Amino acid sequence: MRIDVLTLFPEMFSGPLQASILGRAIEGGLVEVVLHNIRDYAEDKHHVVDDYPFGGGPGMVMKPEPLFAAVDAVAGLEPAKGHVILLTPQGRLLTQSIGDELSRRERLILVCGHYEGVDERVREHLVDDEISIGDYVLSGGELPAMVLIDVVVRRLPGALGSEESLTEESHAQGLLEYPQYTRPAEFRGWQVPDVLLSGHHAQIAAWRRQQSILRTARRRPDLLERAALTEAERRLVAEALAEKD
Ligand code: 9D3
């Protein structure tokens, strides 16, 4: 996979792209991430990339010409034109399934907005998709682009080691994780639950499943609608929710 990133702040990407799973995937040639400074595509002497909004109002708007020029320069036609994604607070909310869907594409082109927004013609005629990472205000599309790259690259076949893939699979049940402990068995007087020290694998699995369900019921009841639970587990959920308030 190849991912082109169009941004006014390419230097923001160096840390996250080098660390951990992402760094390994890039090193190993699983994905190529190419950064482009939008300012390099501004044709005027001072490389201006923003301007005042027509009709007045606060803030600056990103001009269309540098963005169109940048996408034209990197889009490519072989084997396919990249899927152009604008990171914007007005986009569809990023989910795991959107990440999965995007990870099956050959090429992505991520456009990071800054200032109050981008000229509407960019949305209408340049961009194929618009994505937000959540309902909170950030300073630009760079952090969201890094989040999206992480979500997508983890899903590429071969990005995770076999151990990591197995952990991934065991957590892909639509429930929150169960509590985890490591040594020491007692820390500042706080004990690890006995069942985890018992060596009874079936009991441990049952305890973990119950903890996952209770935690999900209390913290993220919205997730339970899609989880596959037995009748007994549904009763457990009902009890947990009843004692909550
Ligand atoms: C406070 C300014 N807002 C009202 C006029 C508009 C606004 C414009 C640009 C708010 C944030 C931004 C910069 N953010 C992004 O470009 C962005 C973003 C985000 O802020 N939150 C979640 N996902 C994303 S994706 C891109």
Side-chain angles (χ1 to χ4, degrees), residues 97-128:
S97 85
I98 291 174
D100 290 358
E101 167 201 325
L102 295 175
S103 74
R104 290 190 285 270
R105 295 194 178 260
E106 199 67 46
R107 294 195 58 179
L108 298 176
I109 300 174
L110 308 184
V111 180
C112 305
H114 231 90
Y115 310 115
E116 281 310 298
V118 304
D119 186 285
E120 190 65 18
R121 290 163 291 190
V122 169
R123 289 177 201 291
E124 288 179 337
H125 305 295
L126 187 64
V127 159
D128 301 309

Side-chain angles (χ1 to χ4, degrees), residues 36 45 53 59 80 84 114 129 132 134 137-138 148 156 165 182 185 196 199 212 218 243:
H36 308 272
K45 196 173 76 179
V84 181
H114 231 90
D129 201 351
S132 162
V137 180
L138 299 168
L148 180 59
L156 295 178
S165 297
T182 186
L196 297 179
S212 277
R218 292 181 181 129
E243 76 195 34

Side-chain angles (χ1 to χ4, degrees), residues 58 86-90 112-117 131-142 144-145:
L86 177 68
L87 285 308
T88 166
Q90 296 146 67
C112 305
H114 231 90
Y115 310 115
E116 281 310 298
I131 289 180
S132 162
I133 63 162
D135 294 335
Y136 36 80
V137 180
L138 299 168
S139 308
E142 283 77 14

Side-chain angles (χ1 to χ4, degrees), residues 48-70:
V48 174
V49 293
D50 61 334
D51 205 342
Y52 300 97
F54 275 125
M60 301 295 275
V61 175
M62 286 179 82
K63 292 166 65 60
E65 305 95 312
L67 288 171
F68 275 83

